[in-house]
Amino acid sequence: MNCKGARFFLSLHISLQLLHTMNHQKRKIAILGSTGSIGTQALDVVSRHSDRFEAYALVANNQVTRLLEQVRRFKPEVVVIANEAKYSGLKEALADLPVKVWAGADAVEQVVQDSEIDIVLTAMVGFAGLKPTISAIKARKTIALANKETLVIAGELITRLALENKTPVLPVDSEHSAIFQCLNGEGDNEIEKILLTASGGPFRSFSMAQLQRVTKEQALHHPNWNMGAKVTVDSSTLMNKGLEMIEARWLFGVNPSQIEIIVHPQSIIHSMVQFKDRSIMAQLGWPDMRMPIQYAFSYPERISSDVKPVNFFELSTLTFEKPDIEKFRNLSLAYKSIENGGNMPCIMNAANEIAVELFLQEKIGFLQMSDLIEQTLTKSVFIRDPSLEDYIQTDAEARMIALEASKRV
């Protein structure tokens, strides 16, 4: 672990000591992205442990019908719809309940500052999660981070703000939660390597000719995990693993060269840490996102769960492979972007969000997503030390470049 990463991880543990005082109190949680895959599973955790957790604030973007169902079931203090066009309908539908109803991007940033909130689960997809996360960090809320793009886009800025504000950042991605668990109790022991596991997605055995014919429907069928459309497509291209590599680089203060991707199709080992003495710690569990969500909510305590236990006598084999970066170029593009640093990961992320959107609209093919990302990285302006405003401008410009490039791929 390099010095900066060690300082961040040390600060994280010092800050987390404050959570011990909350052990016997009901933790009030703001869920950003409550209608998405992570958000709905987080609410399932809340419902199963209602003596420990309270859904204090629910935030969604567009899905009013599902949000209404959640509000009526969990009775939050405040609900926010990011799409202001949906406000009046939501407000009217909740007129019979004593719940505050807010709307707009500014409201999302404001709600996380509420003095009653203990934990902010950032589960909004993509760039939209950046500014609310920054707002929550400055308000010194414990962050349960499920929006990996926040650290991909602005990892240096986020880690600096977390250090300055002594804000705990707890990883929710199953892989990063696994690494975090492997590091607990290890103090200053030096990390030699992080072994980041990947399912390989549904197309790991496909030829290039087969990949050229991949359909949206095929890409949206993940073999192990139940995720939203964008994350599922990212998993199929291995971009999700590239984003997770960058996230791990910032969370745990290691160099990209110290992060090795291992394809593990069974998704039982969620990730591993190799130490200086070559000992390897691994975290295992059934592939169920409720486990890392619950761990982030209850940390440092482990509480009961109804997640299916691993039965080693039922497992025939656990297998491991190298990722094929020639077929799945997004992984190599992610490594190149973080090695170049600056605003390059932000450019890559913006281009990927456009590429996935166009693929889901069936306007470009599966392999063309990588072409689009590579062209955008080549044509965008590099900024070595970007500010928040630089990141915002970079994101907007990269999206425009990607959309223009899509006409030629």
Side-chain angles (χ1 to χ4, degrees), residues 178-191:
I179 296 163
F180 179 65
Q181 292 177 61
C182 290
L183 290 172
N184 278 341
E186 288 295 335
D188 294 328
N189 286 324
E190 184 178 338
I191 298 173

Side-chain angles (χ1 to χ4, degrees), residues 115-322:
S115 61
E116 292 293 315
I117 292 171
D118 299 306
I119 300 173
V120 176
L121 172 64
T122 60
M124 300 173 74
V125 177
F127 187 87
L130 176 61
K131 292 177 74 175
T133 304
I134 289 174
S135 182
I137 288 173
K138 289 181 176 179
R140 300 192 173 185
K141 305 299 182 183
T142 296
I143 308 298
L145 186 67
N147 173 266
K148 60 178 64 66
E149 290 88 351
T150 291
L151 286 175
V152 171
I153 294 163
E156 190 163 7
L157 173 63
I158 294 298
T159 51
R160 176 173 58 78
L161 288 173
L163 279 166
E164 289 174 355
N165 291 281
K166 295 183 173 60
T167 302
V169 179
L170 294 168
V172 169
D173 272 345
S174 62
E175 294 83 359
H176 302 89
S177 177
I179 296 163
F180 179 65
Q181 292 177 61
C182 290
L183 290 172
N184 278 341
E186 288 295 335
D188 294 328
N189 286 324
E190 184 178 338
I191 298 173
E192 186 169 78
K193 186 188 295 186
I194 284 176
L195 305 167
L196 196 66
T197 58
S199 70
F203 310 129
R204 63 186 179 86
S205 61
F206 275 35
S207 66
M208 290 294 286
Q210 288 175 305
L211 289 176
Q212 288 178 343
R213 299 190 296 271
V214 162
T215 66
K216 174 180 71 174
E217 289 73 24
Q218 287 175 302
L220 289 174
H221 183 68
H222 193 280
N224 298 335
W225 294 97
N226 176 24
M227 305 177 290
K230 196 267 183 182
V231 179
T232 305
V233 173
D234 280 346
S235 180
S236 72
T237 65
L238 290 194
M239 176 56 84
N240 200 44
K241 210 50 52 179
L243 299 178
E244 289 174 3
M245 176 273 297
I246 297 174
E247 185 181 6
R249 180 262 180 274
W250 293 111
L251 275 174
F252 307 110
V254 295
N255 296 318
S257 60
Q258 291 175 275
I259 305 172
E260 182 177 348
I261 310 298
I262 297 178
V263 175
H264 168 48
Q266 296 80 23
S267 297
I268 296 297
I269 298 176
H270 297 302
S271 275
M272 298 171 276
V273 177
Q274 179 175 306
F275 294 96
K276 189 177 182 180
D277 64 356
R278 304 295 168 83
S279 294
I280 295 176
M281 299 284 284
Q283 189 268 332
L284 286 70
W286 199 255
D288 189 321
M289 278 305 300
R290 291 176 300 166
M291 186 181 294
I293 292 169
Q294 179 174 295
Y295 187 68
F297 285 178
S298 67
Y299 186 86
E301 187 179 359
R302 292 185 184 272
I303 60 178
S304 63
S305 167
D306 68 343
V307 172
K308 180 180 177 179
V310 174
N311 186 331
F312 288 96
F313 300 107
E314 292 180 355
L315 294 174
S316 55
T317 55
L318 297 180
T319 60
F320 308 93
E321 309 166 10
K322 284 188 176 182

